[in-house]
Amino acid sequence: MPTGTRITGVDIDFLSIPLDRPLVTAAFPIPAIDTALVHVRTSAGHTGVAWSFAFGQGKVAALIRLIDDLAEILVGADALETERLWARMSKAVGFVGRQGLAALAISTLDTACWDIKGQAAGLPVHRLLGGYRDSVEVYASQGLWLDRSRDELAKEAQSLVEQGFRAVKMRAGLPEEDEDVARVALVREAIGPGVKLMVDANQAWDLKQTLRMAARLAPYELTWLEEPMPYTQVDAYAIARRAMDMPLCTGESNYLKAELMTLAGQGGADYIMPDLMRMSGMTELVKAAHQCESLELPVTPHLFMEHCLHLAAGLPNVVWQEFQPWWQPIMQEPLQVMDGCVPAGDQPGFGIVLSQEAVERYRV
């Protein structure tokens, strides 16, 4: 084993990062970003950084306990052997199941090891993955929530465009369909025809309502309609995709590549949206992206832009990155949007440098 990449310890911080105001979706309100922050350390001084989160401190406390349990597998092992370590962690959670908290826990440890792989090679992770592009197109996902008044919605949409975004995502799923349609029309008018618009219904509708709303929203030229139905209804997604005129995006709630491939194989989406922590980390996420490419399906990662920008920069079929700045308050230098894109960067690993003062401030 290369002595420099031998894992000597794993540290876990419990953070609760407050939001300026609670976020409201059709699924649930979001008051804060409760996070399990992981540092994996090596004998040569590398530190891999990753995190998972849940809405609710009790859930994160349980997640941290499981991360701590799985960390015993890593200590003394070689951080470069991500396939071996991922397989060992996956086997270790077999009895309790490989989804849910188990996937979230493995994700932190696996992704941190990928950070170390890049640092040890002196390369950013996107170069390790293939180095397809130098910057990544992003869409603004940090605003346009259901609790905004119409006036707030219009002003916020205009502000996002003024900040340099060339694509924005808003939420739908209100009890009154007419209000959803009116709000989409309002945002389209506010951003103009040249800015892309995505609409996320957060699993609020059934198949009939999805088809009805897709027809009503068609005049507003959506880039995609996202997760309109419960994610388990793969057959319904396949039916909706064949019937809708606009692209359909889903996948963020699915666990591991097998679920994504069932969705993709049945024709349930035009865009596949894998979630880093539900994929159990970069090792599985990269495989899922490659399998989607074999089906000629574009991939757009869900959240975790600090890590997933590297997937989008490294692979040709990863075409968008969600810009959601929930963890930017703990960064020394926030990511910058320039003409709708974020540079991939050239720092080794994921290039994440945390503000220790901020970590201390948000520690539970």
Side-chain angles (χ1 to χ4, degrees), residues 25 44 48 55 67 127-129 142 147 149 153 164 230 232 254 292 330 343 360:
T25 73
F55 300 124
I67 295 170
R127 291 280 303 280
L128 295 181
L129 293 176
Q142 65 266 48
D147 63 323
S149 68
L153 205 63
T232 54
N254 296 91
C292 286
I330 62 172
E360 290 292 335

Side-chain angles (χ1 to χ4, degrees), residues 47-81:
T47 301
V49 179
W51 53 83
S52 285
F53 75 104
F55 300 124
Q57 294 190 13
K59 300 178 185 68
V60 174
L63 171 60
I64 287 173
R65 181 64 189 90
L66 186 51
I67 295 170
D68 187 57
D69 182 72
L70 290 173
E72 296 176 8
I73 293 172
L74 270 65
V75 174
D78 185 353
L80 303 185
E81 296 177 346

Side-chain angles (χ1 to χ4, degrees), residues 132-133 271-272 286 288-301 311-312 314-320:
Y132 186 76
R133 52 178 70 89
Y271 292 89
I272 296 291
V286 171
H290 283 312
Q291 287 186 298
C292 286
E293 185 179 20
S294 72
L295 298 174
E296 299 184 350
L297 272 174
V299 167
T300 175
L311 187 80
L315 303 183
N317 68 314
V318 185
V319 295
W320 287 97

Side-chain angles (χ1 to χ4, degrees), residues 93-154:
V93 298
F95 183 77
V96 298
R98 295 184 172 93
Q99 300 184 352
L101 287 181
L104 275 57
I106 292 172
S107 178
T108 61
L109 299 167
D110 174 75
T111 303
C113 286
W114 273 84
D115 197 8
I116 293 167
K117 286 174 74 168
Q119 293 173 35
L123 295 170
V125 170
H126 64 83
R127 291 280 303 280
L128 295 181
L129 293 176
Y132 186 76
R133 52 178 70 89
D134 296 324
S135 64
V136 176
E137 194 168 9
V138 298
Y139 63 89
S141 186
Q142 65 266 48
L144 311 180
W145 299 91
L146 289 181
D147 63 323
R148 272 45 168 182
S149 68
R150 290 192 185 186
D151 184 55
E152 286 178 311
L153 205 63

Side-chain angles (χ1 to χ4, degrees), residues 108-256:
T108 61
L109 299 167
D110 174 75
T111 303
C113 286
W114 273 84
D115 197 8
I116 293 167
K117 286 174 74 168
Q119 293 173 35
L123 295 170
V125 170
H126 64 83
R127 291 280 303 280
L128 295 181
L129 293 176
Y132 186 76
R133 52 178 70 89
D134 296 324
S135 64
V136 176
E137 194 168 9
V138 298
Y139 63 89
S141 186
Q142 65 266 48
L144 311 180
W145 299 91
L146 289 181
D147 63 323
R148 272 45 168 182
S149 68
R150 290 192 185 186
D151 184 55
E152 286 178 311
L153 205 63
K155 290 179 180 178
E156 197 168 40
Q158 292 169 350
S159 174
L160 291 170
V161 175
E162 291 168 359
Q163 293 170 41
F165 290 101
R166 299 294 173 259
V168 301
K169 184 165 79 177
M170 65 178 296
R171 276 70 185 179
L174 290 167
E176 296 296 328
E177 291 181 8
D178 288 348
E179 182 63 18
D180 269 336
V181 175
R183 290 163 69 88
V184 171
L186 183 70
V187 171
R188 170 51 74 196
E189 182 179 3
I191 64 177
V195 175
K196 296 180 176 67
L197 176 61
M198 295 84 161
V199 172
D200 185 354
N202 291 111
Q203 306 184 59
W205 303 332
D206 60 16
L207 176 58
K208 288 183 178 180
Q209 190 174 14
T210 294
L211 296 178
R212 186 168 62 245
M213 289 297 288
R216 296 189 67 183
L217 296 177
Y220 307 107
E221 299 183 350
L222 304 189
T223 297
W224 69 57
L225 178 62
E226 181 177 328
E227 206 177 36
M229 299 172 287
Y231 78 96
T232 54
Q233 297 179 4
V234 176
D235 290 343
Y237 273 96
I239 293 169
R241 185 186 178 221
R242 290 193 295 268
M244 288 166 47
D245 289 332
M246 68 182 62
L248 184 59
C249 176
T250 191
E252 69 180 75
S253 299
N254 296 91
Y255 282 90
L256 303 174

Side-chain angles (χ1 to χ4, degrees), residues 299-320:
V299 167
T300 175
H302 178 243
L303 299 178
F304 298 99
M305 63 182 183
E306 295 83 359
H307 297 99
C308 289
L309 275 168
H310 290 260
L311 187 80
L315 303 183
N317 68 314
V318 185
V319 295
W320 287 97

